[in-house]
Amino acid sequence: MIVIGAGFAGLCAIHQLRAAGFSVRAFEAGPDVGGTWFWNRYPGARCDVESADYSYSFDPELEQEWTWTERFSAQPEILAYLRHVADRFDLRRHIEFGTRVTAARYDGQQARWQVTTDSGVQATGRFCFLATGSLSVPQLPALPGLADFAGAIHHTCAWPAEGVPFRGRRVGVIGTGSSGVQLIPVLAEQAAQLTAFQRTPAFSVPARNRRLTQDEVRDLKQGYRRRRALARGSPGGIARPPVDRSAHADTAAERRAHFEARWRVGGTPSITGAYSDLLLDAEANRWAADFVRDKIRARVTSPEVAAKLIPSGFPIGTKRVCADAGYYEAYNRPNVTLVDLRATPVLAATASGLRTTAGHHDLDVLICATGFDAFTGAVFAIDIRDAAGRALREHWAAGPRTYLGLATAGFPNLFTITGPGSPSVLTNMVASIEQQVDWLVGYLRALRAGGQRETVATETAEAQWGARLAAAAQRTLYPQAASWYNGANTPGKPRQFMVFLGGLANYARICDDLARDGYRGFRAR
Ligand SMILES: Cc1cc2nc3c(=O)[nH]c(=O)nc-3n(C[C@H](O)[C@H](O)[C@H](O)COP(=O)(O)OP(=O)(O)OC[C@H]3O[C@@H](n4cnc5c(N)ncnc54)[C@H](O)[C@@H]3O)c2cc1C
């Protein structure tokens, strides 16, 4: 088995494949394990799914010995956890670090993948797992003159391990999505002057992060089995009871009280998960959006600044909802300025800052919190070719085509973990990763037992899955937003909704039914 990537997905795959008796060779471009949590070290980086859910369930002893200290752990703690997992289960010996896979070619006669790396190492394996991350290739702003900027430039996902000094400096942050929203309040307390350059305001709700008490940690450890079962049976892979009440079933006053109660609890699903139809019904969605808009007005002192921060033009939840700790309040500080790039676009970077149509902003440091070339970025960075030499990039030229988000017709023995077409980023990713890895390992065991060495998704299965994906998206409000879920943030990318919206539990049921039906949709030999 070849595994590419050593984040949550790669580590899980190595562990489970090895446990099933397969030999594994893994490659990781970075110098250590961790993936997202190795690269995104910006101040304020933390998960927005509760750590108790955003963690592996495969080993009860691991659950008991690891103690999460916060409701939403910060990047250093999650990285420490993944390092602990790698050491505890002796996974590092399978991984070649600092080694980027540049090409993968299928040998049809041998039924093997041959991979080439940037260090000159070549390897072959019967099966190849792309655990390369849905959000691992940075999206940089196309700013003229960026190379002329004399100060330091950092992308939030390529943050220097030694940190960046901000005290007494003039800092610009481009981008106000999840990373910008986490970073800005922290920087506001350190920088002499902070300028946030915003193109599209995001909806953000309070995370209400806090340290877990000893009692909570004890209860969590005692309740893990129940919690995991609840998470696995839920659409989002998180241990919250399902909500099946329509927003139309309540009066305006009842809705307001319900939103208020959930607002006090905090977290990304607090508002968009308050009713079952908030992402299906435009009017219901507007009630939720207006509630959050009112909250933004209340949190920001200046009505002019609040007006710029209030999202409009897309339904709440159809672009990623952020979870913050004092994001809007940061704009009440005298050292923080908001620049609305829709009103005053950036013209160019200069040696000393950024010039917009309204004037020049002097900066010592520029931070790009501009997100990722999502889903396909890391896949296309590898020159993947089938036995006839046809590139995966060509097969996906009009948008990614997969069966279950796991496999692609014409590319045997190649699997994408949380790939395009799976529930992935609209669920707790760790729960999705474990579900997909476990299912695939089950399939590989079945193939081995049957003496089969090759499997490929059929064209029909792939086409039917694509149609199902598109139909699921069309039933919701998601297509109304230009988002990274549908490729809109990356210039030149075909617009296609890339997430399966049926939810994790439903997806797992579909996968299990197919398995019982002889792994329908795959052709094996
Ligand atoms: C700031 C931030 C916060 C997030 N918070 C949450 C959250 O709260 N909940 C949630 O569910 N999800 C969250 N996510 C999504 C997160 O990416 C996933 O939860 C999860 O970490 C993905 O794990 P992965 O192993 O699939 O990918 P990654 O963690 O991205 O790991 C992929 C690894 O593959 C390596 N790689 C890529 N290409 C190659 C190559 N060609 N050769 C060798 N190595 C390669 C990369 O270096 C990387 O280390 C967050 C993402 C970000 C950026």
Side-chain angles (χ1 to χ4, degrees):
M1 304 288 157
I2 302 275
V3 174
I4 309 175
F8 265 108
L11 293 178
C12 179
I14 296 168
H15 181 267
Q16 302 299 59
L17 286 167
R18 193 182 61 186
F22 296 104
S23 67
V24 187
R25 190 164 177 192
F27 298 96
E28 167 54 55
D32 200 354
V33 299
T36 290
W37 304 102
F38 176 85
W39 298 109
N40 292 263
R41 295 162 184 252
Y42 59 86
R46 60 178 70 247
C47 54
D48 59 13
V49 167
E50 293 189 24
S51 299
D53 293 323
Y54 191 66
S55 50
Y56 291 123
S57 69
F58 64 70
D59 188 290
E61 281 179 20
L62 171 67
E63 290 171 341
Q64 294 308 312
E65 73 198 16
W66 184 265
T67 299
W68 293 109
T69 63
E70 292 181 87
R71 183 181 177 200
F72 301 105
S73 294
Q75 172 270 332
E77 189 164 89
I78 306 173
L79 179 59
Y81 170 76
L82 287 167
R83 285 178 167 152
H84 171 73
V85 169
D87 293 335
R88 186 192 192 285
F89 297 101
D90 192 18
L91 304 178
R92 288 178 193 275
R93 70 189 162 90
H94 300 277
I95 309 167
E96 284 157 63
F97 291 104
T99 307
R100 181 174 291 282
V101 173
T102 51
R105 173 85 189 248
Y106 190 63
D107 177 340
Q109 281 196 330
Q110 299 292 323
R112 292 181 83 79
W113 279 94
Q114 299 178 329
V115 302
T116 307
T117 68
D118 61 356
S119 64
V121 171
Q122 304 240 353
T124 70
R126 175 80 62 218
F127 293 91
C128 181
F129 281 66
L130 295 178
T132 44
S134 312
L135 303 172
S136 57
V137 173
Q139 180 76 47
L140 289 163
L143 276 185
L146 202 55
D148 300 334
F149 181 62
I153 304 181
H154 301 284
H155 192 287
T156 44
C157 91
W159 205 259
E162 64 280 9
V164 181
F166 290 112
R167 292 220 180 272
R169 303 177 92 186
R170 296 163 303 179
V171 183
V173 176
I174 306 180
T176 53
S178 292
S179 299
V181 161
Q182 289 187 333
L183 175 69
I184 283 167
V186 184
L187 284 196
E189 291 183 0
Q190 298 175 11
Q193 175 64 41
L194 175 63
T195 310
F197 296 91
Q198 169 191 274
R199 187 177 59 185
T200 313
F203 284 98
S204 186
V205 300
R208 309 242 186 258
N209 182 44
R210 55 184 168 73
R211 286 191 75 77
L212 297 177
T213 63
Q214 280 188 353
D215 285 351
E216 282 174 318
V217 169
R218 190 201 55 226
D219 291 350
L220 170 64
K221 288 190 177 183
Q222 284 175 359
Y224 259 126
R225 297 279 54 81
R226 211 188 127 261
R227 184 173 190 116
R228 301 298 192 191
L230 201 57
R232 267 195 288 272
S234 76
I238 56 174
R240 284 202 182 184
V243 172
D244 57 7
R245 188 172 178 79
S246 159
H248 291 274
D250 281 352
T251 65
E254 286 166 342
R255 273 195 303 271
R256 176 124 209 131
H258 185 53
F259 284 139
E260 280 291 354
R262 292 183 61 108
W263 182 262
R264 281 195 293 276
V265 174
T268 46
S270 56
I271 300 304
T272 46
Y275 292 102
S276 57
D277 49 359
L278 294 182
L279 285 155
L280 303 173
D281 178 289
E283 189 179 24
N285 186 282
R286 208 161 37 248
W287 293 328
D290 284 345
F291 175 84
V292 177
R293 291 187 184 112
D294 285 348
K295 290 290 184 190
I296 298 171
R297 281 186 200 97
R299 292 173 70 181
V300 180
T301 321
S302 155
E304 292 78 36
V305 176
K308 290 184 198 170
L309 286 166
I310 288 174
S312 63
F314 61 94
I316 186 171
T318 56
K319 286 163 80 78
R320 194 170 181 88
V321 172
C322 308
D324 75 89
Y327 172 64
Y328 294 109
E329 290 77 3
Y331 293 99
N332 298 335
R333 298 172 63 104
N335 66 330
V336 178
T337 307
L338 177 67
V339 175
D340 178 357
L341 295 180
R342 288 190 295 197
T344 57
V346 174
L347 296 175
T350 67
S352 57
L354 289 189
R355 185 180 305 289
T356 71
T357 53
H360 190 268
H361 298 271
D362 294 334
L363 303 171
D364 303 310
V365 185
L366 185 58
I367 312 291
C368 300
T370 41
F372 301 89
D373 180 353
F375 303 107
T376 52
V379 176
F380 287 161
I382 305 172
D383 183 18
I384 299 172
R385 291 182 183 264
D386 70 6
R390 189 178 55 134
L392 181 63
R393 187 181 265 281
E394 279 170 43
H395 185 65
W396 285 8
R401 289 154 59 183
T402 67
Y403 180 41
L404 303 169
L406 284 172
T408 300
F411 293 80
N413 294 7
L414 179 73
F415 301 117
T416 42
I417 310 298
T418 68
S422 72
S424 69
V425 296
L426 286 171
T427 63
N428 164 12
M429 289 280 266
V430 183
S432 273
I433 285 166
E434 288 197 305
Q435 182 273 332
Q436 290 200 321
V437 168
D438 288 351
W439 191 86
L440 281 172
V441 170
Y443 187 25
L444 296 185
R445 279 175 186 270
L447 290 170
R448 184 175 56 189
Q452 292 164 309
R453 55 182 203 157
E454 184 183 273
T455 178
V456 66
T458 67
E459 291 275 354
T460 311
E462 184 183 86
Q464 285 173 348
W465 186 252
R468 190 168 183 170
L469 209 68
Q474 281 310 324
R475 279 194 294 273
T476 71
L477 303 174
Y478 280 98
Q480 294 184 23
S483 74
W484 56 263
Y485 300 145
N486 57 23
N489 68 322
T490 305
K493 214 165 174 169
R495 285 281 185 103
Q496 177 187 314
F497 200 78
M498 289 181 273
V499 187
F500 173 70
L501 282 174
L504 179 59
N506 187 22
Y507 174 81
R509 230 179 345 262
I510 294 169
C511 292
D512 292 344
D513 286 348
L514 292 169
R516 271 191 292 275
D517 201 7
Y519 292 93
R520 187 158 37 88
F522 287 94
R523 199 173 44 241
R525 66 181 175 100

